[in-house]
Amino acid sequence: MDPLPLTRIPPLVLSEVLRDVDLFVGVASIGNDPTWQDGGPGGRFQEYWTSYGFGELNQSAETRRLLLDRLIPRLAIADRCTLEGRFLHVKGDRHTYKIHLGSGNILRTPNDQYLCIVPKSNPSAPQAGYLPYEGDRMLAVILSKAMMLADDTRITDPTILSQL
């Protein structure tokens, strides 16, 4: 089969294909792996991991930011949350936290210490509640982290507590 010029591909089909490619690349990236915070062998990927985990927002994350801007005022934790730049700031009782809107990675104030909280990965598990933006798992991750951190005195997980 010969290559097809992009102008002959229906815009909706092209958009969906590019969305799938973006999803694949985003999920397959080492930037999503919290165990790579050390930069991998010899630290050679440290800059990439840091820029992916805390850098500029891609278009999906910008869309997520707009959605969070409308959604947060309706949440029970609204008084503990603010959106600033690339981060959702969450005021807990122990610390204030910054959740990156692209990666879901967390920095703990005052020294921007990395806080590793890894969501359980069971994509087949039933979703608790309705999210207004179907298909954005990272939105669910960010919201669940925000709700947990807003009430950080109730955290009982020893791995998380050791980092607080």
Side-chain angles (χ1 to χ4, degrees):
M1 180 182 268
D2 291 331
L4 189 63
L6 289 179
T7 55
R8 295 202 39 221
I9 300 172
L12 182 59
V13 172
L14 180 62
S15 173
E16 288 301 310
V17 168
L18 292 177
R19 183 174 180 257
D20 287 345
V21 169
D22 180 58
L23 179 62
F24 172 78
V25 170
V27 170
S29 172
I30 63 168
N32 286 323
D33 187 348
T35 62
W36 275 80
Q37 69 181 349
D38 66 355
R44 67 181 188 207
F45 299 113
Q46 179 66 45
E47 186 178 326
Y48 172 77
W49 188 88
T50 302
S51 69
Y52 183 92
F54 299 105
E56 295 301 319
L57 301 180
N58 63 22
Q59 190 57 51
S60 295
E62 288 287 353
T63 301
R64 187 177 302 126
R65 186 185 198 298
L66 293 172
L67 180 60
L68 283 167
D69 192 41
R70 293 189 355 236
L71 186 60
I72 288 172
R74 298 179 175 128
L75 299 177
I77 61 169
D79 62 329
R80 293 181 165 260
C81 297
T82 55
L83 276 171
E84 294 179 28
R86 303 181 296 246
F87 295 94
L88 171 61
H89 293 250
V90 180
K91 174 86 173 89
D93 290 320
R94 297 174 191 233
H95 301 282
T96 298
Y97 310 91
K98 297 176 357 183
I99 305 172
H100 189 263
L101 301 177
S103 66
N105 288 337
I106 305 165
L107 297 174
R108 185 186 66 157
T109 61
N111 300 321
D112 281 349
Q113 274 188 295
Y114 177 70
L115 175 60
C116 183
I117 300 177
V118 181
K120 290 182 181 177
S121 70
N122 183 359
S124 63
Q127 296 294 317
Y130 164 77
L131 287 177
Y133 187 68
E134 182 182 337
D136 188 355
R137 183 173 184 274
M138 186 54 64
L139 176 61
V141 168
I142 290 169
L143 288 172
S144 66
K145 287 180 178 184
M147 290 180 190
M148 178 178 62
L149 294 171
D151 197 8
D152 61 0
T153 57
R154 295 187 62 198
I155 295 172
T156 58
D157 183 284
T159 304
I160 298 171
L161 284 175
S162 71
Q163 300 175 74
L164 298 179

